[in-house]
Amino acid sequence: MLRPQDSSTREKKRLDGLWSFRLDRDSAGRDAGWFRGPLTGAREMAVPASFNDLAADASVRDYFGDIWYQRTARVPKGWAGERVVLHFESATHRATVWVNDTEVMSHEGGYTPFEADITELVTPGEELRITALVNNTLSFQSIPPGVIEQTPTGPAQIYWHDFFNFAGLHRSVWLVATPQARIEDLTVVTGLAAGDGTVDYTSAATDADGFDTHVVLRDADGAVVAEATGASGRLDVPGVRAWAPGAAYLYDLEVRLVDDSGVVGDSYHQPVGVRTVEVRGTQFLINGEPFYFQGFGMHEDHAVIGKAHSDAHLVHDFELLKWIGANSFRTSHYPYSEEVLDYADRHGIVIIDEVAAVGLNMGLGGGIFGGQGYQTFSPGTVNDATRQVHAQAIRELVARDKNHPSVVLWSIANEPESDTAGAEDYFRPLFDVARAADPTRPVGFVNVMLAPHGKCRVSQFADVLMLNRYYGWYVNTGDLAGAEQEWTREISAWAGDGKPIIITEYGADTMPGLHSLTPQPWSEEYQVDYLDMNHRVFDACDAVVGEQVWNFADFATKSGIMRVDGNKKGVFTRDRRPKSAAFALRRRWRAKESGSLN
Ligand code: GCB
């Protein structure tokens, strides 16, 4: 599936705005055919937005179940003769969609796109009715997982991840026109050697008999630097300008379907950053140079809009990343909006791209986030069916993000149970799925503190070790000296594995404005001291090739005794004001950038 775009042969129309919206507490709408006409009893709802915080109503905020969205739209009259597609960038966590009275598609998974050809159902110049039945219930067979428990006051949604289950239409919905003879998919893989570059491309076309594929690579000034014909091939780029962290450079690859008389049937543009990624020993190399990740685990999370994409917040968050000297982040704990990846491509930020497989650890959840008594991997909990959903989530993430130069590493899960035979069996094939989908990038998963070196049975499959550690917070709380000793001991053991180590989480909850002369947990001073302690540990270990603080900003979670108005481990508050740690990190990361450290 290709991302919607405007080109000389394609057009797109954004369907954002106010949609009709109705919660369906009894799941009655499908049988009653609510898609067959205007939604009755509906309120208005913004798209894109998580629906949860828009109503001043707890029963909306915490709602799980069926959710109906509907709007009408007009197919541009100029689209006569075109193929018309309805494209959702995401629907969290699943959706079924109707156009007028006809069901056109269903999709499982809350963070990847899906689309349907609706040409036969619509008439250019006329209106169509789009109805989406979104569902945000989590089960043992969803990614992420959850379960419904019966309580004295009714059913409750339990889940094991530490962020609020925001849901709805978080990203744009599009009507798209493409030619019938069309480019259907495109993969680019780039190489670098002695100052020259290569771009290997593979394209797929549909209904394209009588068309040849022509590709043109242009530099950022629009000058043609290479051309080729054929559905796949290699473009040589002598004296290439590489894409590099902090120094983005994008070429434009145009793929065209051209008929015998030279008429262009379809044209698709793909930005291309020429760069290489390689794991060698304990080093992580980008363009053959050792790369040190400095940045954050983030969240798509803002007041009011929840997990919705917003360009204004995107620009501001990246400005803060630049201000603080970050060069990278992880899309914890799900695929982010494609706008985020495009922006990272253009601005030279490096991304660890994560599947929404978070909370596959009922032991951890039982201990910390509530919901006890489940075995993670078992026929009745996370099982083979879950693994198929997980595998599909990996394939969809790679299919969506494979051409982004900013993406250098796949994370196929965050903090799953990984110290049991069940975990080993569950994950072994998933690493194969990731490598089959993308043989060019390293693959890893994020290891939890409960599965330390010597106990973890899944890290053997990973190219890079990604560790989340909270020495000085969840353990050795307030005792940074003890934390430093234990952390140093554990990290040295991992270093013995001979793989690069990225510390993908370390952090301390911090109430902005809480100050303390002595290093007290929750104070701004403690967060600074905690980070300093961690940095001493990392700087003493050669195998550590990255530090990503948890978290960039405070974020919403479900309520509970562990969280005060959400998770407060942000270096910025939820409204993006700096805590003291932001200035401390800025000093360290900016010094590192200028080469005075490491
Ligand atoms: C973790 C999780 C992250 C949590 C964090 C915390 O290990 O990966 O989702 O938010 O810890 O703050 O406890």
Side-chain angles (χ1 to χ4, degrees):
M1 184 194 313
L2 290 177
R3 186 120 184 256
Q5 72 173 214
D6 287 314
S7 76
S8 60
T9 59
R10 293 171 174 240
E11 227 176 295
K12 63 182 186 187
K13 177 177 176 176
R14 207 191 277 267
L15 300 183
D16 297 358
L18 294 172
W19 290 49
S20 295
F21 174 89
R22 182 171 170 186
L23 301 179
D24 181 5
R25 294 182 191 274
D26 303 319
S27 287
R30 188 191 281 261
D31 287 345
W34 287 6
F35 48 87
R36 287 206 186 90
L39 263 188
T40 54
R43 63 167 87 199
E44 290 187 279
M45 180 54 63
V47 174
S50 299
F51 68 82
N52 309 76
D53 280 344
L54 267 59
D57 183 344
S59 76
V60 174
R61 182 166 206 263
D62 295 328
Y63 178 83
F64 56 91
D66 286 350
I67 305 149
W68 293 80
Y69 283 82
Q70 191 182 69
R71 69 164 283 167
T72 55
R74 192 172 292 275
V75 181
K77 67 176 185 319
W79 288 10
E82 301 296 313
R83 174 176 166 266
V84 181
V85 172
L86 177 61
H87 180 100
F88 282 68
E89 290 187 13
S90 68
T92 313
H93 294 279
R94 64 189 62 79
T96 299
V97 179
W98 291 261
V99 165
N100 301 327
D101 290 359
T102 307
E103 183 177 324
V104 294
M105 59 183 154
S106 287
H107 180 258
E108 174 70 29
Y111 306 93
T112 43
F114 53 99
E115 64 180 30
D117 182 335
I118 58 167
T119 318
E120 300 303 319
L121 302 172
V122 297
T123 308
E126 292 189 5
E127 275 198 342
L128 72 157
R129 186 177 62 251
I130 302 165
T131 309
L133 167 54
V134 177
N135 179 285
N136 67 339
T137 304
L138 300 172
S139 75
F140 282 116
Q141 277 65 57
S142 64
I143 292 292
V147 69
I148 308 288
E149 284 184 357
Q150 297 307 324
T151 74
T153 51
Q157 171 82 74
I158 308 291
Y159 50 89
W160 298 275
H161 53 269
D162 182 33
F163 55 91
F164 190 78
N165 186 28
F166 283 121
L169 298 179
H170 288 149
R171 299 171 192 161
S172 290
V173 180
W174 300 91
L175 274 182
V176 184
T178 80
Q180 193 56 41
R182 62 197 181 271
I183 302 150
E184 195 79 66
D185 194 17
L186 175 64
T187 308
V188 295
V189 176
T190 60
L192 280 172
D196 297 332
T198 52
V199 177
D200 291 334
Y201 71 93
T202 310
S203 65
T206 303
D207 292 340
D209 286 352
F211 288 90
D212 289 329
T213 305
H214 289 212
V215 299
V216 186
L217 190 72
R218 296 184 181 84
D219 67 16
D221 297 324
V224 173
V225 295
E227 285 182 88
T229 51
S232 60
R234 167 165 291 189
L235 299 166
D236 289 311
V237 192
V240 72
R241 188 151 158 202
W243 185 97
Y249 186 87
L250 296 173
Y251 290 85
D252 173 67
L253 181 70
E254 184 185 0
V255 182
R256 287 188 194 142
L257 297 179
V258 184
D259 73 11
D260 291 347
S261 49
V263 172
V264 175
D266 193 12
S267 159
Y268 191 84
H269 290 263
Q270 173 66 53
V272 174
V274 181
R275 60 106 183 90
T276 60
V277 173
E278 186 191 341
V279 169
R280 194 185 298 155
T282 58
Q283 291 187 318
F284 194 100
L285 306 176
I286 299 183
N287 301 342
E289 303 277 325
F291 180 68
Y292 191 90
F293 296 75
Q294 51 195 41
F296 299 96
M298 297 183 74
H299 264 299
E300 290 187 311
D301 178 89
H302 291 280
V304 183
I305 62 172
K307 293 212 169 304
H309 171 72
S310 129
D311 283 340
H313 288 112
L314 165 74
V315 171
H316 186 51
D317 282 357
F318 272 72
E319 285 297 313
L320 295 180
L321 291 172
K322 190 162 113 195
W323 174 85
I324 207 166
N327 62 14
S328 63
F329 62 87
R330 176 169 58 119
T331 69
S332 41
H333 294 306
Y334 36 82
Y336 289 4
S337 159
E338 290 163 85
E339 301 290 343
V340 176
L341 296 152
D342 286 347
Y343 201 89
D345 288 345
R346 290 196 298 274
H347 294 266
I349 291 277
V350 170
I351 289 180
I352 303 173
D353 209 359
E354 189 157 277
V355 175
V358 52
L360 281 82
N361 199 332
M362 282 102 216
L364 177 66
I368 298 180
F369 302 122
Q372 314 226 339
Y374 297 101
Q375 190 186 334
T376 304
F377 299 104
S378 80
T381 53
V382 176
N383 57 18
D384 286 348
T386 318
R387 185 166 56 192
Q388 280 175 29
V389 175
H390 193 159
Q392 181 63 11
I394 294 171
R395 286 188 208 100
E396 289 188 20
L397 176 68
V398 174
R400 194 194 74 160
D401 291 350
K402 62 189 174 185
N403 293 331
H404 288 283
S406 55
V407 174
V408 300
L409 171 60
W410 304 112
S411 166
I412 65 167
N414 179 72
E415 295 197 344
E417 176 180 303
S418 63
D419 56 350
T420 56
E424 189 174 335
D425 292 345
Y426 179 89
F427 275 103
R428 184 185 292 106
L430 291 180
F431 279 87
D432 296 340
V433 166
R435 292 198 172 97
D438 180 7
T440 73
R441 288 179 182 83
V443 183
F445 81 107
V446 173
N447 162 282
V448 65
M449 197 157 185
L450 298 176
H453 189 263
K455 289 211 171 140
C456 181
R457 299 172 64 149
V458 176
S459 54
Q460 57 174 318
F461 306 125
D463 300 309
V464 175
L465 301 169
M466 291 187 269
L467 307 180
N468 290 355
R469 289 298 180 275
Y470 288 92
Y471 289 101
W473 186 254
Y474 288 124
V475 296
N476 307 97
T477 315
D479 169 19
L480 291 178
E484 187 163 350
Q485 272 181 18
E486 288 194 34
W487 197 182
T488 303
R489 199 173 312 131
E490 198 201 339
I491 219 167
S492 316
W494 285 106
D497 285 1
K499 296 180 183 182
I501 301 172
I502 303 171
I503 312 306
T504 33
E505 287 184 25
Y506 60 112
D509 283 276
T510 303
M511 287 303 289
L514 182 68
H515 293 287
S516 172
L517 274 174
T518 58
Q520 294 303 314
W522 292 94
S523 69
E524 295 205 25
E525 287 72 21
Y526 189 80
Q527 190 180 29
V528 171
D529 288 357
Y530 168 97
L531 295 177
D532 281 350
M533 178 278 288
N534 273 273
H535 297 150
R536 284 195 296 278
V537 175
F538 308 161
D539 292 345
C541 181
D542 285 343
V544 173
V545 299
E547 55 194 52
Q548 293 190 329
V549 176
W550 191 256
N551 187 284
F552 172 70
D554 295 344
F555 58 91
T557 63
K558 68 183 172 192
S559 47
I561 52 166
M562 297 286 291
R563 299 289 175 250
V564 187
D565 186 33
N567 188 307
K568 289 281 185 287
K569 294 192 185 70
V571 163
F572 296 94
T573 59
R574 197 174 187 218
D575 61 356
R576 276 43 177 178
R577 279 181 282 176
K579 301 180 189 172
S580 302
F583 298 96
L585 277 172
R586 183 172 196 256
R587 278 192 292 278
R588 172 178 169 84
W589 286 347
R590 294 214 145 198
K592 259 179 176 292
E593 253 179 324
S594 63
S596 57
L597 241 165
N598 270 0

